[in-house]
Amino acid sequence: MRVPHRQPRPAGLAGLVLAALLAAAPALADGPSRPATPAEQAYYNQVMAVLAKSAPAAPPPGWQETDRTQLRTPGYVGEGSEEDPMGLDYHVRWSDLARAREAQEAQVQAGAEVMKRQMAQPSTAAQERRVEALAAQLGQAVERGDMATVARLQGEMDQLYDEINRVQGQRDAELQAALKRHQVKDVEAGVSLLVNSAVVEFIGRVAKDQPVAGLTVHRQEGEDNPHLGWREGYSWVFLGPGWKLMREGDHQYMEFTPRAGVPHTTVQNLVVRVQAAPERARALLAALDWSALKGLIK
């Protein structure tokens, strides 16, 4: 069974859903646990120290750090952790809070103006009440077995639903257009360093980007999510032998085959995942200590 690292979602603006980076280390997952062995604790401390030192120490100029993994030697690990390569995860995120806040305020104002105009327009309440009345009549017709009346009432209800959906669709489109006019890009960025991943899912189309440190970079460009706003793209680099690009129709993912006969406290692979605008992603990749990261692979 493939258990992919979940992709973090970027911050939405104007009251839209804010999703946090979700990336829990498998070895430290919730559920049944046991005391960590000295070897597991030493492995965590040594590997995480390298990851922390390899990641950019300072945010981009004018940006603020919003999240960074805190190193804590684990007292417990999940039961069965010794059965697979022990996974670890280090991440750091930054934000241009000033630009993001300015855009959010502009979106809130624009959204409020749209809602004010829409409130002054005729509502769909009358159509909705008519649908409810027709639904009651339809139920009575069904009980009588009057299928001709059922068909007629259903047709009237469908027409009303179409009108309600048309009006609501226009209003939603107007609101989305107002929010998009004040949408900003390149205000969020993050780096995740994932040790001993089994599978990494690609969401959307992926292509090769400029290489870094002699390694292939896979890039998925950003997209405009109707519920979350602008979503920055991802860049991935896969270190360690055993990775294979898999395809199932249009779906692509990277799958890792671990080596047998080595301790589970062995770094067999490392995934570098950067979420940022294209140029910023390349700059963040270039800022990593690739010699130290490559040195982790055993």
Side-chain angles (χ1 to χ4, degrees):
M1 179 180 70
R2 301 197 305 272
V3 184
H5 284 283
R6 296 186 181 275
Q7 300 297 336
R9 294 285 184 178
L13 299 175
L16 300 178
V17 177
L18 174 66
L21 177 67
L22 300 177
L28 312 178
D30 294 334
S33 61
R34 61 166 174 77
T37 66
E40 289 169 337
Q41 292 179 325
Y43 165 82
Y44 174 94
N45 291 334
Q46 293 168 6
V47 175
M48 292 295 281
V50 174
L51 298 181
K53 186 178 180 180
S54 300
W63 289 40
Q64 291 78 43
E65 185 173 296
T66 57
D67 190 24
R68 184 180 290 267
T69 297
Q70 300 301 308
L71 305 189
R72 298 184 181 90
T73 304
Y76 292 85
V77 298
E79 287 186 3
S81 294
E82 67 282 358
E83 298 174 4
D84 298 297
M86 186 172 176
L88 298 175
D89 179 357
Y90 185 90
H91 66 262
V92 57
R93 291 192 68 82
W94 309 275
S95 177
D96 186 343
L97 295 177
R99 286 183 62 224
R101 189 178 300 112
E102 181 181 356
Q104 182 178 14
E105 291 172 353
Q107 285 190 316
V108 169
Q109 180 63 33
E113 292 174 357
V114 170
M115 295 299 293
K116 183 178 180 180
R117 289 197 304 271
Q118 291 182 354
M119 291 293 290
Q121 298 172 358
S123 71
T124 59
Q127 289 97 324
E128 292 168 355
R129 289 193 297 270
R130 178 59 178 161
V131 167
E132 293 176 359
L134 290 174
Q137 295 175 34
L138 186 145
Q140 295 170 1
V142 170
E143 292 179 359
R144 297 195 305 270
D146 186 353
M147 303 313 295
T149 300
V150 168
R152 177 179 60 79
L153 293 173
Q154 186 63 61
E156 291 185 41
M157 291 174 64
D158 288 344
Q159 290 180 359
L160 287 170
Y161 278 129
D162 288 343
E163 178 61 20
I164 291 170
N165 289 335
R166 184 188 65 79
V167 173
Q168 292 180 344
Q170 288 178 343
R171 292 178 178 178
D172 288 345
E174 184 183 6
L175 179 58
Q176 290 298 324
L179 297 178
K180 191 171 183 177
R181 283 196 296 272
H182 299 281
Q183 179 176 266
V184 291
K185 302 178 182 180
D186 191 26
V187 294
E188 296 282 341
V191 173
S192 294
L193 306 174
L194 314 172
V195 173
N196 287 336
S197 300
V199 173
V200 175
E201 301 278 357
F202 292 137
I203 303 174
R205 185 175 181 180
V206 177
K208 290 185 178 180
D209 199 1
Q210 300 175 15
V212 61
L215 299 168
T216 298
V217 177
H218 296 269
R219 177 70 184 175
Q220 172 202 327
E221 295 303 343
E223 63 179 2
D224 193 8
N225 187 293
H227 304 292
L228 300 172
W230 178 253
R231 185 170 181 252
E232 294 294 355
Y234 293 91
S235 296
W236 288 273
V237 179
F238 298 88
L239 288 80
W243 285 110
K244 185 177 181 180
L245 178 63
M246 309 293 289
R247 290 184 173 88
E248 295 178 0
D250 294 334
H251 178 57
Q252 299 181 78
Y253 59 93
M254 294 289 286
E255 188 171 70
F256 184 78
T257 301
R259 301 197 320 273
V262 298
H264 70 292
T265 51
T266 301
V267 178
Q268 296 198 40
N269 72 55
L270 175 66
V271 178
V272 176
R273 184 183 68 203
V274 175
Q275 184 183 17
E279 291 187 10
R280 193 171 301 280
R282 286 190 285 270
L284 289 171
L285 286 172
L288 294 170
D289 186 343
W290 289 101
S291 295
L293 294 177
K294 291 178 180 179
L296 287 173
I297 307 297
K298 304 299 183 183

